Amino acid sequence: MDWFEPVRAYCERTGGEVWAEPVNALSNAAFLIAAAAGARRAARTAPPDRAGLALSGLVAVVGIGSFLFHTLAVFWSMLADVIPIALFIDAYLALALRWYLRLPLVAVVSMTAAFALFGLCLTPVLERLTGLDVAGVSNGSIDYLPALVALFGMAAATIGRPEERITGTGRRLAGIGVLFLVSLTARTLDRSVCTILPTGTHALWHLLNAAVLYALVATAIRHRQTVG
């Protein structure tokens, strides 16, 4: 394994220079803004929402990791990009199973572990079954399909709960799911639009996904305040 192997994954990068993706790199500021807004909201609750603060911290780490990847563009910085995102997804799923669906801790841990394993196996299994470069065709966006399905699934399950009339959590999750689908589309189309848009659409993924992450944190904080 070469930790410093160059990774050229996005339309904007045409060389190996550190500042070859200025738009993609600078757009990561959106994650830091989202993290600050989420932390501020969590800190204003009484007592401060520690889970909200932790999730906001993860959003900040997502932004920093993504900035490193879009400047250094080597293998280890790619891991710094994708690992925090995976941690946020798994942490939020566990939180949602516990807070929104009120499942017992054993079920939460088991389901979160199964989800994480499914996410790790999805791409290689699909590629083995189809014989296609699934990750290449989707520009890597296939890795986020489990998160999209989980988000809409959680929305459907939460909408059916008695407290939905008061919290509106399920409806909010459904709306966030739609926004996530739009952001994922922007991520997928990046290489396809290079000829007409040299900067690509990956920066739009950053901007929209930062909004998705903030909305998820805000929804969790609001739900906790509403139902306790």
Side-chain angles (χ1 to χ4, degrees), residues 68-206:
L68 289 173
F69 182 40
H70 289 291
T71 50
L72 303 177
V74 293
F75 182 74
W76 75 260
S77 64
M78 180 183 71
L79 296 181
D81 178 29
V82 299
I83 290 175
I85 296 173
L87 288 176
F88 181 94
I89 292 170
D90 292 341
Y92 198 89
L93 176 62
L95 177 151
L97 291 169
R98 185 68 170 168
W99 286 4
Y100 303 165
L101 301 187
R102 299 187 179 276
L103 296 182
L105 188 58
V106 172
V108 170
V109 173
S110 300
M111 293 176 71
T112 303
F115 174 82
L117 182 61
F118 173 68
L120 286 173
C121 296
L122 176 63
T123 297
V125 168
L126 285 178
E127 291 183 343
R128 181 169 296 181
L129 290 174
T130 64
L132 299 173
D133 179 9
V134 172
V137 171
S138 70
N139 200 19
S141 296
I142 192 70
D143 293 334
Y144 294 94
L145 181 59
L148 182 66
V149 173
L151 186 49
F152 280 118
M154 187 61 63
T158 307
I159 284 174
R161 295 189 61 82
E163 62 266 25
E164 174 67 13
R165 288 189 305 106
I166 302 171
T167 65
T169 298
R171 294 189 297 275
R172 285 180 172 80
L173 291 176
I176 296 169
V178 172
L179 181 59
F180 185 47
L181 179 59
V182 174
S183 71
L184 201 56
T185 301
R187 188 187 192 285
T188 305
L189 292 176
D190 180 67
R191 291 178 183 172
S192 303
V193 301
C194 283
T195 55
I196 57 175
L197 185 64
T199 58
T201 56
H202 195 77
L204 182 58
W205 150 259
H206 288 164

